[in-house]
Amino acid sequence: GVRDVLFLYEENRCSMTYMYEYPEYLKIKLPKKTVRRYPVYELYLYGEGNYAEENKNLLLTGIPVLFLPGNAGSYRQVRSLGSIALRKAEDVDFKYHFNFFSVNFNEELVALYGGSLQRQTKFVHECIKVILKLYKDREFAPTSVAIVGHSMGGLVARALLTLKNFKPELINLLITQATPHVAPVMPLDKYLTDFYTAVNNHWILKAQDLRNLTTLSVAGGFRDYQVRSGLAFLPRLSQHDSALSVVSSAVPRAWASTDHLSIVWCKELILATIRALFDLIDENTRQITEDPKKRMAVLNHHFVRHPAKLFEENPDAFTELTGSFAWITVKASKWTYSFYNDSDGKYFMFPLASHRKSYSHVYCENSMLDTSSWIYGCINSNSSMCLEATDVSWKAELLPTTKASIFVILKLQDYPSLSHIVIQAPPTVGNKYTLDCEFFQEDSRTVQLPVTHLFSFGFSSSKIILNSTGLLYNVQLQHFNQIYQAFKIHIESHCQSLKERKPSVYRFHIPWSHEDSIIVAKVPSFTEISAKLHTAQPENDNRVPELNIYSSSDCQYEVILKTSLVQILGQIIRFHAGALPVYVVSNILLTYGGQLSALISTGQCSDFSLELVRTAKPYKVEPLISIVVFLQGFHWFRAIWESLSLPEVDAAVLSSRDRWFPLVSLTLFLFGTGIAYWSGVFFSTSLRLFSSLWLTLIRPTVQHKDNKLITPRKLCGVLSLTLVSWTTCGALAVFIIYLQYSFKDSDRSKETLGNSSIHTVKNQSSMDSTSKATQSLSSTTTIAEAVNSLKMHVTILNLFTWIVLLNLPSLIYWLKNLRYNVRLDPDPCRFTAIILVCILEILMNSSTAEVKSSKLLKMAAKVPLPLSVAMLAFGQMHLYKVPHFVTFSLLLHVLCCIV
C-alpha cells in the first residue's frame, strides 16, 4: 500500500518554467510596529531585469497579487508566476500588468506545528494594507488584492476572513495550490485542529459574506502523496457558488498530475493561471473585475471546459456567416474531410430534419486549433446556404491528441430551432487538418460495465468488446462510487488495416467532481489505466463514472476491468495513513496491559512479541467502538453524550462519511499490529546488540546500585527538565528524558547479560554445600527478576518512542526558530512533558518486584484496554490526544511502584 502511494503513479508530464532574466526580490519596508511584532517575517516584490529596476522606487501601476508559500515554503517560489506574467504583459505592451508580492514566512513548518498559523494570518493582513498603500493616489488604484496560496499558504489566506478587523472586500480572488482545506494531513497539535475548525466553520456559517470572493482550489492528483486531492476540495455549500475545486489532471491544456512542489512551477498550470488572471481584468478599472459571475466564468473557461477560443464575457447570440466560401450540403450520417493547402474556404451544411428521427446526438471533431469559431447551428436558411446562425463552438472541449483537437457533442433535442449544423473549413496553407462528424443514437454508444467486487482481489474480471464504427463510446462503470474501490482497466485496440490513424483518447470521467484523467494511446496498442477516486459519490447523486473512448473508426476495442488489491491498500494508506500511529500505540498499550496481567497470574513478565500475538486482538476493541458509533445515530444518546460534555467521537465522524470505515478500521488495526510487532523486535534486537557490544568493550565491574525510586539526584533531574520544558520547549525535555531512559535500558540489558554470563560460570563449578545452593537460587531469582524488568522497560520504551515521534515536529520547529525565540510559544506539549519527566524519572529505577506486590496492579492491568478503545475513538482525527492516554497508563504504573 505504501509502495502504491509513494511510487506507483504517472510520470511527471509538467514542463519546467524558466526565467528569461535574473529574478530579483525587492524587500518592502514595513511599519516599525509590524516589524517589532513579527520580526521573523518579511514582504518582497518580485521583478526581473529592467522591470525590477523600474520598480525599485515602488511607483507601482500594476495589479497586486500576493503569493503565500506553504509548509517550509520559500517566498522565492513566486518566480514562476511572476516571470510568466511578465512575459504575458510584454505581449500586450504593458497595457495591463501584474505586480507579484511574496511573503517570507521563514520556511516555518506550519503543517506540523499550528502555533504560528494565527500569527502568519495577522501578518498577511498587515501586508495587504501595506501593499494597497503603495498604490495610493495612483490612477486606477486597486482596492483589493488577489492571493495565490501554496499548500498551507492557501489556508492562511482563507483564515484572513476569520480576523475580527479584516474587511472581506480587501481580497476578491483566491487561488490555492495543493492546499489541504478539509482537515490537516497530520493533526499533531491542538492549535492546528482548532485553526482548521475556526476557518471551516466560518466559511460555512458566514457563506453569505463570501459571495464577493471567488475561490479556486487546484489539487495535484495522485502524484501528490503529501496532500491527497480529497483534502484540497473546498466544502460544497449550496449558497456559496463562487468556489471551484479541480484536480490538475483535469485542467485543459495541462492534463497532468503534479507533486506537492511541482504544482508551483508546472508550466502548463502556471500558464492557465496567468491566462485566467489576464482575462479577469476589467478594461474600465484596469483591475480584477468586481463581477463574481465573470470571475467564475473565466475560471471555468480555463480550468474546467476550454473551447479553444479566447474568453468572451458576452459572445454574440447570433451571427451571419459571411465570406466567399463555397456551400456544400452533406446528407451522410458519418463524414470525414481532410484539407491541406486549401486556398478556398468552405461551409459544410448538415440538414437536421432527416437525422432527428434516427439519431439523438451529433459529434464533431476538429484538428485545427484555431481560436476562431468553427461550428454553428443554423436558425434561418434557404435551400443553398445559412442566413443566420448561432455559434455552438462555445460548447466544444479540448482533447490532448498528438497536437490537441477540439470536439463538440450536441444533443439534438436541446436545439429544436436549428435546421442545420454548419461547419466552417477556412483556407489553409502548409498544414493538414481533419474534420470528422457523425450522428449517433446515445443508447448504441453507451455500454454498461459492472465493476468487479472489492473482495475479488483481481481473480475475476469484467470484459466488453467494442466493434468501433464510430468516433465516441461511453463505458459506464456501474457500482463504482467508493474511495476504497480501485481497478486496473486494460484496453487493447485492434485495427483492420495498417494505415496511419489518429491516436485514441481515453478519459476517465467522474461526473460529481472535476478529477478526470486523460490518456492518449497509439492505435493499435495495449493500454493500462488506473481507476480510483479522490472523492466518494455524494448522497443523492446517481451518476456513475465513465470511461470515454474517443476512438478510431474500423477498430476493435477490448476493455477488461479487474480489482487491484495493491491499489486498494494504497487507497487505505492514502486516506488513513495519518491515523496509523493511533492503531500502533493501541496495540502496544494492549500488549503492555497483557504483560501486567501476566505478572499477576504467573509472576513473570512475558516477552513483548509473544504477548502482542496473544493480547492485541481487534475483537477486544473494534466491537466496543462500533457499538458507540451505532448509538451515536440516536438523538437521545447524542443528547446524553453532549450533556456529559464528552468530545466528539472521531470514529463516528469517519463512519458517517464512509460506510466502509468499520472494515477499514479493522484493516488499519491489523496494520498497526504488524508495525507494533516489528518495532518491538527492532527495539529488543537493538538493545541486545548494543548491550553485547558494550559488554565486549567494557567488562562488568561490581555495581553499587541505588535502587531507590526517589533520590535527591533524581529530584534535581526532574526540576532541571521541568525548567527546560517551561523555559524552552516541552518536546526538548521529552527527548532528553527519552535518551536518558534508552541508555538506562541499555545499561540494564548489559547488566542482565553480564550477570547471566557470570551465573553460568558459577554453575559450572561444583556446589556441594547448602549455602552455595541457596546462593545459586538467589542469583537465579535475581537474574529472572532482572529479565522481567528489562522486558517491561522495553515495552515502556516502545510506547514512549511513539510519544517522542508525535512531539518531534514541535521540537524541529523550535530548533529551526531558536535564533529568534528561546521559548516555544505556544507549546503544545509543555504540561504533558512535565508530567512525563516526573513519571519516567521514577520508572527508570523501578523493577517488576515492586509492581508485583502492589495493591493497584489489578487496576493498572485492566486500564490499558479501555484506554486503547478510547484512543481509537477519540484520537484518529486528533493525534495529539494519544500521549495523554499513554501518560495516564504510565502514571498508574508509577503508583504501582509506590503503593
Side-chain angles (χ1 to χ4, degrees):
V2 172
R3 178 172 165 267
D4 176 71
V5 172
L6 298 183
F7 303 108
L8 302 182
Y9 45 69
E10 67 177 68
E11 62 181 7
N12 185 19
R13 297 202 294 238
C14 281
S15 305
M16 176 61 78
T17 48
Y18 293 98
M19 284 76 252
Y20 288 88
E21 296 173 279
Y22 192 77
E24 294 184 38
Y25 304 88
L26 177 64
K27 188 175 178 181
I28 306 296
K29 189 177 180 181
L30 299 171
K32 290 181 181 178
K33 186 180 176 182
T34 305
V35 174
R36 194 164 54 249
R37 192 178 295 173
Y38 311 102
V40 183
Y41 304 151
E42 296 167 324
L43 176 65
Y44 288 88
L45 172 66
Y46 178 81
E48 292 179 22
N50 292 332
Y51 171 76
E53 286 294 324
E54 291 168 8
N55 286 336
K56 280 188 176 176
N57 55 10
L58 293 178
L59 298 173
L60 306 177
T61 57
I63 302 165
V65 180
L66 179 60
F67 176 78
L68 304 180
N71 178 57
S74 169
Y75 66 94
R76 296 172 184 270
Q77 288 173 309
V78 73
R79 62 184 176 269
S80 295
L81 285 163
S83 183
I84 289 182
L86 183 58
R87 302 283 87 76
K88 180 80 172 171
E90 288 173 352
D91 290 344
V92 295
D93 295 324
F94 281 91
K95 181 183 179 182
Y96 312 113
H97 71 278
F98 289 87
N99 301 129
F100 274 86
F101 297 85
S102 184
V103 173
N104 178 16
F105 284 136
N106 192 36
E107 301 185 11
E108 290 181 334
L109 300 169
V110 285
L112 303 176
Y113 168 75
S116 61
L117 282 167
Q118 194 67 27
R119 191 160 53 241
Q120 287 190 1
T121 306
K122 290 177 180 177
F123 179 73
V124 171
H125 185 199
E126 297 300 322
C127 287
I128 291 172
K129 290 190 281 189
V130 169
I131 289 167
L132 292 176
K133 277 183 183 177
L134 294 174
Y135 295 87
K136 201 175 180 183
D137 302 327
R138 302 275 196 280
E139 188 182 8
F140 306 113
T143 56
S144 61
V145 174
I147 295 180
V148 179
H150 173 239
S151 187
M152 294 298 286
L155 188 72
V156 168
R158 286 180 64 212
L160 285 167
L161 296 156
T162 65
L163 298 177
K164 288 182 181 178
N165 56 347
F166 183 78
K167 297 175 183 176
E169 58 268 20
L170 289 179
I171 51 173
N172 57 12
L173 176 68
L174 170 60
I175 299 174
T176 66
Q177 303 169 325
T179 296
H181 292 293
V182 178
V185 177
M186 293 286 283
L188 290 167
D189 65 59
K190 192 175 187 295
Y191 308 114
L192 192 58
T193 54
D194 287 353
F195 188 82
Y196 264 92
T197 303
V199 172
N200 286 329
N201 285 348
H202 184 90
W203 276 59
I204 292 169
L205 298 173
K206 304 282 185 179
Q208 292 295 334
D209 299 341
L210 305 175
R211 285 176 298 179
N212 292 323
L213 172 63
T214 304
T215 310
L216 168 68
S217 175
V218 183
F222 289 111
R223 276 188 65 85
D224 188 351
Y225 54 78
Q226 293 183 47
V227 176
R228 62 177 177 85
S229 296
L231 290 178
F233 278 61
L234 290 157
R236 287 190 180 96
L237 303 171
S238 56
Q239 66 270 40
H240 180 42
D241 56 356
S242 57
L244 176 65
S245 301
V246 297
V247 178
S248 60
S249 60
V251 175
R253 299 207 272 188
W255 296 303
S257 177
T258 62
D259 59 55
H260 197 62
L261 290 178
S262 68
I263 198 168
V264 175
W265 54 256
C266 179
K267 186 178 178 181
E268 290 77 9
L269 269 181
I270 300 299
L271 281 169
T273 305
I274 297 302
R275 287 174 188 137
L277 285 174
F278 273 87
D279 281 344
L280 285 166
I281 297 172
D282 186 326
E283 289 188 4
N284 298 320
T285 63
R286 299 208 174 181
Q287 296 294 324
I288 288 176
T289 178
E290 295 294 325
D291 182 3
K293 289 184 178 177
K294 181 184 175 181
R295 292 199 296 258
M296 280 305 292
V298 169
L299 294 179
N300 275 295
H301 178 90
H302 288 282
F303 288 90
V304 178
R305 188 190 193 97
H306 199 299
K309 286 170 62 69
L310 298 176
F311 176 79
E312 292 179 34
E313 187 176 0
N314 297 305
D316 295 332
F318 303 103
T319 184
E320 292 183 8
L321 301 179
T322 57
S324 56
F325 288 4
W327 287 82
I328 302 170
T329 302
V330 180
K331 294 183 178 180
S333 61
K334 186 175 179 181
W335 169 83
T336 298
Y337 177 72
S338 296
F339 49 109
Y340 175 74
N341 280 342
D342 192 348
S343 58
D344 300 321
K346 295 181 179 65
Y347 284 122
F348 296 95
M349 293 177 65
F350 297 81
L352 297 180
S354 58
H355 293 302
R356 286 186 185 277
K357 294 179 182 179
S358 305
Y359 305 106
S360 62
H361 290 72
V362 60
Y363 171 90
C364 290
E365 191 175 322
N366 179 7
S367 65
M368 180 184 229
L369 276 184
D370 193 353
T371 55
S372 58
S373 299
W374 62 282
I375 184 167
Y376 305 88
C378 188
I379 296 171
N380 185 12
S381 64
N382 57 27
S383 57
S384 60
M385 63 184 292
C386 181
L387 303 175
E388 190 178 24
T390 180
D391 187 357
V392 294
S393 304
W394 294 104
K395 302 289 183 184
E397 281 188 73
L398 278 170
L399 270 184
T401 51
T402 313
K403 293 183 179 179
S405 61
I406 323 160
F407 76 93
V408 64
I409 302 173
L410 301 177
K411 189 176 183 180
L412 299 181
Q413 190 179 344
D414 294 341
Y415 300 91
S417 60
L418 300 186
S419 62
H420 295 76
I421 293 291
V422 179
I423 293 182
Q424 179 182 355
T428 58
V429 178
N431 289 314
K432 182 180 179 181
Y433 300 105
T434 305
L435 291 167
D436 291 289
C437 269
E438 67 167 345
F439 291 85
F440 65 89
Q441 188 65 34
E442 185 179 25
D443 294 343
S444 67
R445 298 296 174 84
T446 303
V447 183
Q448 294 184 347
L449 180 66
V451 298
T452 49
H453 196 272
L454 191 69
F455 299 111
S456 64
F457 303 125
F459 293 112
S460 61
S461 63
S462 292
K463 177 180 175 181
I464 55 166
I465 296 175
L466 304 172
N467 292 309
S468 173
T469 54
L471 301 171
L472 172 68
Y473 278 90
N474 295 322
V475 180
Q476 294 184 342
L477 305 177
Q478 297 291 320
H479 318 300
F480 185 13
N481 49 27
Q482 295 297 322
I483 53 175
Y484 306 116
Q485 292 175 290
F487 307 97
K488 281 186 179 178
I489 301 176
H490 301 282
I491 305 175
E492 191 169 0
S493 56
H494 306 279
C495 298
Q496 294 177 0
S497 61
L498 297 176
K499 67 178 183 180
E500 186 181 349
R501 299 172 183 274
K502 65 172 187 178
S504 293
V505 179
Y506 308 127
R507 179 166 77 165
F508 178 49
H509 173 60
I510 311 299
W512 56 80
S513 68
H514 304 297
E515 55 179 90
D516 294 7
S517 56
I518 297 178
I519 290 178
V520 181
K522 293 179 180 179
V523 178
S525 66
F526 180 84
T527 308
E528 182 178 287
I529 299 173
S530 292
K532 48 196 174 189
L533 302 175
H534 294 292
T535 54
Q537 185 182 43
E539 291 182 17
N540 305 318
D541 192 327
N542 297 320
R543 294 172 295 175
V544 294
E546 289 182 339
L547 177 66
N548 305 135
I549 301 177
Y550 301 92
S551 55
S552 294
S553 299
D554 305 319
C555 291
Q556 185 186 77
Y557 291 84
E558 184 179 17
V559 181
I560 301 172
L561 180 144
K562 289 183 178 182
T563 298
S564 173
L565 177 61
V566 170
Q567 292 187 69
I568 289 171
L569 294 173
Q571 287 291 82
I572 292 172
I573 294 297
R574 183 173 283 109
F575 280 82
H576 298 288
L580 265 178
V582 185
Y583 287 91
V584 177
V585 177
S586 177
N587 273 277
I588 299 172
L589 205 54
L590 286 172
T591 308
Y592 169 70
Q595 287 180 317
L596 292 177
S597 298
L599 276 178
I600 298 170
S601 57
T602 64
Q604 302 293 321
C605 182
S606 51
D607 187 69
F608 177 85
S609 301
L610 296 173
E611 193 59 44
L612 177 75
V613 172
R614 191 180 69 84
T615 313
K617 303 293 184 185
Y619 59 76
K620 293 182 178 181
V621 175
E622 294 293 338
L624 292 171
I625 296 172
S626 297
I627 290 167
V628 173
V629 169
F630 174 74
L631 291 173
Q632 285 275 325
F634 296 99
H635 179 73
W636 61 267
F637 186 81
R638 284 202 308 275
I640 295 170
W641 193 271
E642 289 167 7
S643 66
L644 295 172
S645 299
L646 292 170
E648 193 174 29
V649 181
D650 290 358
V653 175
L654 293 167
S655 296
S656 66
R657 294 177 186 171
D658 176 19
R659 60 190 175 90
W660 285 91
F661 181 73
L663 183 61
V664 172
S665 182
L666 176 64
T667 308
L668 290 169
F669 190 93
L670 298 177
F671 285 178
T673 307
I675 296 169
Y677 180 89
W678 288 108
S679 67
V681 170
F682 172 77
F683 273 110
S684 300
T685 308
S686 299
L687 275 172
R688 191 178 295 275
L689 288 172
F690 185 69
S691 304
S692 299
L693 182 64
W694 194 349
L695 196 62
T696 306
L697 297 174
I698 305 167
R699 299 308 300 169
T701 57
V702 178
Q703 299 287 330
H704 297 286
K705 289 201 301 179
D706 188 358
N707 288 323
K708 289 182 181 179
L709 295 175
I710 303 170
T711 62
R713 185 178 177 182
K714 284 186 175 296
L715 283 173
C716 287
V718 168
L719 289 172
S720 301
L721 288 176
T722 301
L723 190 65
V724 166
S725 178
W726 192 259
T727 57
T728 58
C729 171
L732 177 63
V734 169
F735 189 67
I736 291 169
I737 195 74
Y738 174 73
L739 292 176
Q740 197 177 338
Y741 200 98
S742 301
F743 281 115
K744 186 73 177 177
D745 266 13
S746 299
D747 193 39
R748 188 178 283 110
S749 180
K750 180 198 73 174
E751 289 171 23
T752 306
L753 285 170
N755 290 338
S756 297
S757 60
I758 292 165
H759 178 62
T760 305
V761 172
K762 282 183 177 179
N763 280 347
Q764 287 171 356
S765 63
S766 58
M767 296 193 116
D768 299 327
S769 67
T770 307
S771 61
K772 284 187 178 181
T774 307
Q775 187 182 351
S776 175
L777 182 63
S778 173
S779 178
T780 305
T781 307
T782 305
I783 292 167
E785 203 58 59
V787 170
N788 285 336
S789 297
L790 180 62
K791 288 176 181 177
M792 184 60 71
H793 283 291
V794 168
T795 304
I796 293 171
L797 186 64
N798 204 344
L799 272 174
F800 193 36
T801 300
W802 286 94
I803 295 179
V804 172
L805 289 174
L806 291 174
N807 287 323
L808 204 56
S810 60
L811 176 61
I812 296 168
Y813 180 92
W814 173 78
L815 287 169
K816 201 169 182 296
N817 290 273
L818 189 57
R819 57 180 172 151
Y820 302 104
N821 279 310
V822 175
R823 191 172 193 259
L824 181 64
D825 189 36
D827 189 342
C829 61
R830 179 168 288 134
F831 294 104
T832 308
I834 293 170
I835 295 168
L836 280 169
V837 163
C838 298
I839 288 171
L840 291 166
E841 278 286 5
I842 295 171
L843 282 182
M844 228 175 275
N845 268 0
S846 67
S847 69
T848 51
E850 296 151 346
V851 176
K852 278 193 285 188
S853 59
S854 174
K855 297 174 184 177
L856 297 174
L857 182 57
K858 283 187 179 179
M859 186 173 74
K862 289 177 181 176
V863 161
L865 176 59
L867 285 179
S868 294
V869 174
M871 196 185 296
L872 291 181
F874 300 110
Q876 296 189 57
M877 297 169 67
H878 302 83
L879 284 179
Y880 61 87
K881 292 181 180 179
V882 171
H884 303 158
F885 296 110
V886 176
T887 302
F888 183 76
S889 192
L890 294 179
L891 182 62
L892 281 177
H893 193 128
V894 168
L895 292 175
C896 285
C897 295
I898 299 169
V899 180

